[in-house]
Amino acid sequence: MKSNAIGVTGVAVTEMGLGTAQFGDLYDSFDQDEADAIVQSALSNGIRHFDTAPHYGLGLSECRLGRALVGVDRAEIVVSTKVGRIIEGVGAAAYRRWDFTSDGVSRSLDSSRDRLRLDDIDIAFIHDPDEHVDQAISEAAPALERKRASGEVGAIGVGTKDVATLLRFVRESDIDVVMVAGRLTLLDRTALDELIPECLARGVAVMSAGVFNSGILASPTPDRSSHFEYAKPSHAIVTRARKLASIAARHGFTLPEAAVAFARRPAPPVVSVVVGVDAAAQVPSNAALLTCDGDAEGLFAELDDLFAREG
């Protein structure tokens, strides 16, 4: 699988990364064997970037990912995690606490390295700072810049679904990459208006996460049993997704293939899509979404026309 560089940081990520929120029991209980199998399947299918966060399962995702990566050549993988939420307490008494201070960044990274069983972190994202933007820009971002300068992390960025927050960081800090969640998709294109052009102009890489909007775009035949924005989809959303599926089919794409193609289309600055799975068997089919031989030009032309008519 091809890798793309994140600016001049020396960090490069594969075109598809593995999101591991599910490792933190996002929808259903997971176990370590399942996490191990998913990671091995990802490696077998060329995926070398693994994304996690303390927020996912109160550190459980990091712990499971770390165990699953034991024995894997560190030089062959890229691991990203996030800062902004400190995990306090242990076991059933554990809870999350917002912390975008310099000390909070250091403490969060130290804890993440312990859970991940790693000496360093390849990419550190400031996670969901939407309600704390001023402090995150004035304290967390400079702290990460110092970590980058010292070699403790390879690249730094911000991850959230809030486009306005991402724009502020792109314009007001020295980040290398943004991870935009659910806003560069067939159902929500708001990242295209200002964020993508601004990142391109400033040399900031983009990772597109949540490309299936929590699941509704992951099925060739969408229905209300899936999720949209982590909740049950409305009838209008299901109808919309089915219309998009019909458009995709006319050009030789399934809906998931079209969703991935659309999220990767503005390249640069998009360097990868980050996709989660519930089972190891889903990894090969996800990796195959990168190689659809449908008529991409025709697909994008029809989508562009649809979106232009809708405004």
Side-chain angles (χ1 to χ4, degrees), residues 161-195:
K161 65 182 180 181
D162 188 77
V163 172
T165 294
L166 294 173
L167 274 167
R168 282 201 59 185
F169 276 89
V170 170
R171 291 166 174 163
E172 300 176 36
S173 71
D174 187 28
I175 58 171
D176 306 301
V177 57
V178 299
M179 180 179 286
V180 55
R183 301 297 178 260
L184 186 53
T185 79
L186 293 171
L187 288 171
D188 189 327
R189 310 177 306 282
T190 50
L192 290 175
D193 296 337
E194 292 185 77
L195 181 63

Side-chain angles (χ1 to χ4, degrees), residues 7-8 11 47 110 129-130 133 139 142 165 169 174 185 222 231 234 246 276 307:
V8 296
V11 179
I47 295 172
D110 287 344
D130 314 343
V133 178
E139 298 185 46
T165 294
F169 276 89
D174 187 28
T185 79
S234 66
S246 296
F307 298 151

Side-chain angles (χ1 to χ4, degrees), residues 12-215:
V13 292
T14 44
E15 294 174 289
M16 180 172 284
L18 180 73
T20 63
Q22 289 86 341
F23 289 10
D25 298 343
L26 177 61
Y27 295 124
D28 297 298
S29 295
F30 242 65
D31 62 37
Q32 188 63 47
D33 288 343
E34 291 174 305
D36 292 347
I38 287 171
V39 167
Q40 288 305 311
S41 184
L43 292 167
S44 297
N45 284 276
I47 295 172
R48 296 291 182 271
H49 172 213
F50 300 88
D51 179 68
T52 186
H55 176 53
Y56 305 152
L58 293 162
L60 187 56
S61 171
E62 289 183 317
C63 288
R64 286 175 172 160
L65 177 60
R67 290 179 189 137
L69 290 173
V70 170
V72 176
D73 184 350
R74 183 68 179 90
E76 294 297 315
I77 58 173
V78 169
V79 177
S80 58
T81 192
K82 305 178 180 76
V83 302
R85 291 175 175 92
I86 298 289
I87 307 304
E88 302 281 14
V90 295
Y95 64 95
R96 303 166 182 84
R97 176 175 62 79
W98 292 107
D99 193 332
F100 293 96
T101 65
S102 178
D103 286 345
V105 166
S106 293
R107 182 178 168 189
S108 182
L109 287 174
D110 287 344
S111 297
S112 289
R113 283 194 296 269
D114 287 344
R115 288 189 288 264
L116 286 163
R117 307 183 183 200
L118 298 176
D119 294 328
D120 52 27
I121 302 296
D122 297 295
I123 309 169
F125 290 101
I126 300 170
H127 198 190
D128 294 340
D130 314 343
E131 304 300 322
H132 312 268
V133 178
D134 290 339
Q135 183 183 37
I137 288 176
S138 65
E139 298 185 46
L144 284 181
E145 290 171 27
R146 292 190 291 271
K147 301 290 186 185
R148 181 181 59 192
S150 70
E152 190 173 331
V153 299
I156 63 173
V158 182
T160 179
K161 65 182 180 181
D162 188 77
V163 172
T165 294
L166 294 173
L167 274 167
R168 282 201 59 185
F169 276 89
V170 170
R171 291 166 174 163
E172 300 176 36
S173 71
D174 187 28
I175 58 171
D176 306 301
V177 57
V178 299
M179 180 179 286
V180 55
R183 301 297 178 260
L184 186 53
T185 79
L186 293 171
L187 288 171
D188 189 327
R189 310 177 306 282
T190 50
L192 290 175
D193 296 337
E194 292 185 77
L195 181 63
I196 294 299
E198 195 77 4
C199 287
L200 182 60
R202 295 176 181 266
V204 176
V206 176
M207 294 183 191
S208 184
V211 299
F212 302 133
N213 285 121
S214 305

